[in-house]
Amino acid sequence: MSRIRLIQLGSSCLSKANFQNICSSGFKAPAARGLQVPADPTRRQRPDLLYSRLELELRAHDPAVLDSYVTFLQQAARHLGVTTGKLWEPPRHYQRLSLLKSVHIFAKHKVQYEARTYFRVLELLRLTGSTADTYLEYTQRMLPEGIAMKVSRHARESLPEHLSQRPDQSESDGKSA
Amino acid sequence: MLSLCFLPARAAVPSARLVCVRAASGQPAAGRTDDPQFRPLDIGRRREVVQQARERRRATLPPPRHERQPVNQQWGDVWPAPRTFHPDAVPLPLRQGFVKRPNAQAPPGKHANAELMKIANFLHLTPPVIERQCRALAKFCTPWPEGLTDERLDELRPLEVITQDFLHASPTLRHPDARVVSLKVPLSCLDLTETDRDKLLRLVGDRHDPKTDVITLTADRCPLRRQNRDYALYLLTVLYFESCKREPWEAELRTVADAEKFVWAGSASEAAVAPLGAAADVVNSYGEAVTRLHNEGEDESTLAEYRKAVVALLGLPEHVGAN
């Protein structure tokens, strides 16, 4: 009896609307992930977004690996026809900790740790949504160990319709119509 | 007495001491062939024996892969995916490591080199491989629309929506900043009168950048990115609609003493000049000079302009008050 109820609950919770919401937040359809799928003309295609710029901020523990990865990013951008903007290096950050070596007393004996973080920021200009998704998927799959990436997307959209004219004008239009 | 019976004849057997000496001098084969009955006792691992055994073992192994690889091989097929460094598969004479005397010592070689194995290598991402992979991916990219310059883009799509995605190694997939949405709106794309604009800037405060004339609205109060985006758009709508409204008490608020800038029209200065009956353009130039003096402050140029306007207004000779 309880098992049947659980199944019913599960089906009601995971309704189509919920599923689409969960899907659209992070999960991308196979076509956007670069896999070959037969084109379904009945499936509604979302229009391509426009990004004025994409900023990739990389953080790494090893500067040599970071340099190599940035070289790869630039080569991939060149081959995929992506315009690169600035490439700059924010100052590195060393986190140093001096901790007591012993669990109890012996405060004169310490152990020191250090975590080194190096930064690099690459700017990409004028990309469409498809290009951005393809480029990012490719470069993120090739991200080596010890590097983290933060992608800032600057998407350009048109002003919503209700803001294109003054509210009293639209009211008067509405009343007249 | 009994033991004497079991003792072998001394003449037949060479003495034990003689045998030991022969073994120490390093002639095992000679020792063996000399006396098949009594082989020399060899307890220790002698260097020559061990080395010969090792060489025999090595001879049975095939040569390392980098010696068997053809020169015209496709490196992308040898190293197709990210992999820990393997010295026998890579035909490069690599060296990596710290040495105390770099002038006298070479860094450690590639075999059994922990540092070389620990570091991420890019052997799977050589330039020809990158090119080949990008060529295969190019069909999923779309070109930037032709003729869409930055100015045209500002006209058609003035709204800028900024979101952030994170990729990192961590116990959790989530990042608290991933739900933050920023909206950048240039005020030029909104239909605003002077008072509307003034009201909007007061509401918005330091979210307005006077240099670029852009408002930045950042929403992070909702748990999902989609919700934050909707909230930011709602906020923009409310700001615009409120700045277009006029409350009845707003008319009483703005007296002349509250004004940030001097306005000539309807001022006491204009009322004082009217009875003089001067020409319209002279009065206008005087009005402009007074406005500049009030708004920009006292300066050589503003004072000179004011003097010129007053002289023209009152019909005084040119040299009066001139320095």
Side-chain angles (χ1 to χ4, degrees):
Chain A
M1 184 61 188
S2 58
R3 207 188 301 147
I4 298 163
R5 203 179 297 152
L6 275 167
I7 292 165
Q8 283 174 348
L9 270 171
S11 62
S12 68
C13 281
L14 206 65
S15 65
K16 193 178 175 192
N18 288 350
F19 185 64
Q20 275 173 357
N21 272 336
I22 294 162
C23 277
S24 54
S25 57
F27 179 80
K28 285 209 160 31
R33 282 189 285 130
L35 301 175
Q36 292 276 21
V37 278
D40 180 14
T42 58
R43 195 172 64 180
R44 190 170 57 89
Q45 291 271 341
R46 216 182 299 173
D48 217 357
L49 291 165
L50 288 174
Y51 294 109
S52 62
R53 54 194 280 254
L54 226 66
E55 211 174 80
L56 307 184
E57 186 193 319
L58 302 166
R59 300 185 178 204
H61 291 305
D62 195 309
V65 176
L66 188 57
D67 288 337
S68 299
Y69 186 65
V70 167
T71 315
F72 159 69
L73 284 180
Q74 290 172 320
Q75 285 182 11
R78 199 174 67 238
H79 291 308
L80 288 174
V82 173
T83 324
T84 45
K86 292 187 285 176
L87 168 70
W88 74 95
E89 192 175 339
R92 68 188 185 195
H93 178 253
Y94 288 5
Q95 184 197 18
R96 294 188 176 109
L97 301 168
S98 291
L99 310 171
L100 296 176
K101 207 188 263 193
S102 172
V103 159
H104 179 59
I105 55 171
F106 305 123
K108 272 196 270 188
H109 303 265
K110 305 229 166 86
V111 67
Q112 294 189 310
Y113 297 102
E114 185 176 280
R116 297 180 173 186
T117 310
Y118 302 87
F119 300 87
R120 209 63 60 88
V121 185
L122 177 64
E123 190 188 44
L124 308 169
L125 303 167
R126 293 183 288 274
L127 293 117
T128 56
S130 312
T131 311
D133 288 342
T134 309
Y135 179 81
L136 285 174
E137 170 122 21
Y138 178 49
T139 52
Q140 285 170 0
R141 277 184 190 274
M142 299 299 182
L143 197 73
E145 311 83 49
I147 298 191
M149 186 197 275
K150 168 174 147 181
V151 181
S152 297
R153 296 166 185 249
H154 295 244
R156 296 299 283 267
E157 294 178 20
S158 46
L159 212 58
E161 262 193 58
H162 59 267
L163 295 176
S164 55
Q165 48 178 301
R166 291 176 63 84
D168 40 23
Q169 277 176 6
S170 61
E171 269 176 27
S172 62
D173 288 347
K175 277 181 192 159
S176 61
Chain B
M1 287 300 275
L2 270 164
S3 58
L4 280 169
C5 302
F6 293 99
L7 271 173
R10 269 190 177 266
V13 176
S15 69
R17 209 187 304 146
L18 198 63
V19 168
C20 285
V21 164
R22 210 182 295 152
S25 71
Q27 299 162 18
R32 282 215 187 96
T33 48
D34 271 355
D35 195 344
Q37 264 193 351
F38 295 97
R39 285 171 292 134
L41 178 62
D42 187 11
I43 298 170
R45 287 178 83 238
R46 281 184 298 138
R47 199 182 293 129
E48 302 86 9
V49 176
V50 170
Q51 268 177 358
Q52 275 173 17
R54 199 184 290 147
E55 267 155 45
R56 256 181 277 127
R57 245 180 285 132
R58 217 179 271 167
T60 53
L61 287 170
R65 210 189 308 171
H66 63 81
E67 286 174 21
R68 288 179 283 140
Q69 284 169 345
V71 176
N72 58 351
Q73 70 180 351
Q74 292 293 320
W75 180 250
D77 298 336
V78 178
W79 207 276
R83 194 201 165 192
T84 313
F85 182 79
H86 187 71
D88 283 343
V90 180
L92 299 170
L94 294 168
R95 288 185 174 274
Q96 176 158 348
F98 171 77
V99 284
K100 282 188 186 161
R101 291 177 294 131
N103 298 328
Q105 301 164 316
K110 63 179 180 175
H111 286 92
N113 191 332
E115 291 300 321
L116 209 50
M117 279 195 273
K118 281 192 287 186
I119 199 72
N121 64 66
F122 284 77
L123 291 163
H124 58 289
L125 286 177
T126 50
V129 168
I130 299 173
E131 205 178 322
R132 176 161 50 92
Q133 288 172 344
C134 287
R135 226 180 295 130
L137 289 171
K139 61 177 177 285
F140 298 109
C141 299
T142 48
W144 185 254
E146 236 182 274
L148 190 62
T149 55
D150 289 343
E151 292 81 21
R152 193 84 183 103
L153 185 66
D154 292 338
E155 269 176 64
L156 292 169
R157 305 244 180 146
L159 214 64
E160 190 174 337
V161 183
I162 304 162
T163 50
Q164 292 160 324
D165 297 313
F166 298 85
L167 179 64
H168 53 270
S170 171
T172 168
L173 269 180
R174 306 182 191 285
H175 198 284
D177 289 341
R179 63 171 208 282
V180 175
V181 173
S182 286
L183 214 65
K184 280 195 192 280
V185 187
L187 285 183
S188 50
C189 71
L190 295 171
D191 188 6
L192 294 164
T193 60
E194 271 299 320
T195 30
D196 290 344
R197 195 192 150 88
D198 175 65
K199 198 166 174 188
L200 182 64
L201 292 181
R202 281 173 194 278
L203 284 170
V204 136
D206 59 356
R207 291 178 191 79
H208 171 254
D209 183 9
K211 276 185 239 137
T212 52
D213 197 31
V214 164
I215 295 177
T216 308
L217 302 171
T218 304
D220 65 344
R221 58 174 58 192
C222 305
L224 293 181
R225 186 188 285 175
R226 186 176 279 249
Q227 293 169 341
N228 279 317
R229 187 200 132 85
D230 292 343
Y231 178 71
L233 283 171
Y234 158 76
L235 206 58
L236 178 65
T237 312
V238 163
L239 282 169
Y240 182 59
F241 277 50
E242 279 298 318
S243 60
C244 291
K245 264 196 231 170
R246 289 288 165 271
E247 303 287 341
W249 44 262
E250 275 185 43
E252 300 148 25
L253 268 182
R254 311 283 259 122
T255 57
V256 170
D258 289 329
E260 284 113 3
K261 285 199 181 298
F262 177 80
V263 172
W264 166 257
S267 64
S269 187
E270 193 191 22
V273 158
L276 289 174
D281 54 345
V282 170
V283 169
N284 281 342
S285 65
Y286 175 73
E288 276 168 27
V290 168
T291 313
R292 265 195 74 189
L293 203 57
H294 279 287
N295 290 340
E296 291 168 35
E298 287 180 15
D299 195 10
E300 286 283 343
S301 61
T302 49
L303 283 171
E305 196 189 327
Y306 181 68
R307 179 195 152 272
K308 195 167 146 202
V310 166
V311 155
L313 187 72
L314 300 177
L316 300 168
E318 276 297 317
H319 63 268
V320 169
N323 292 357

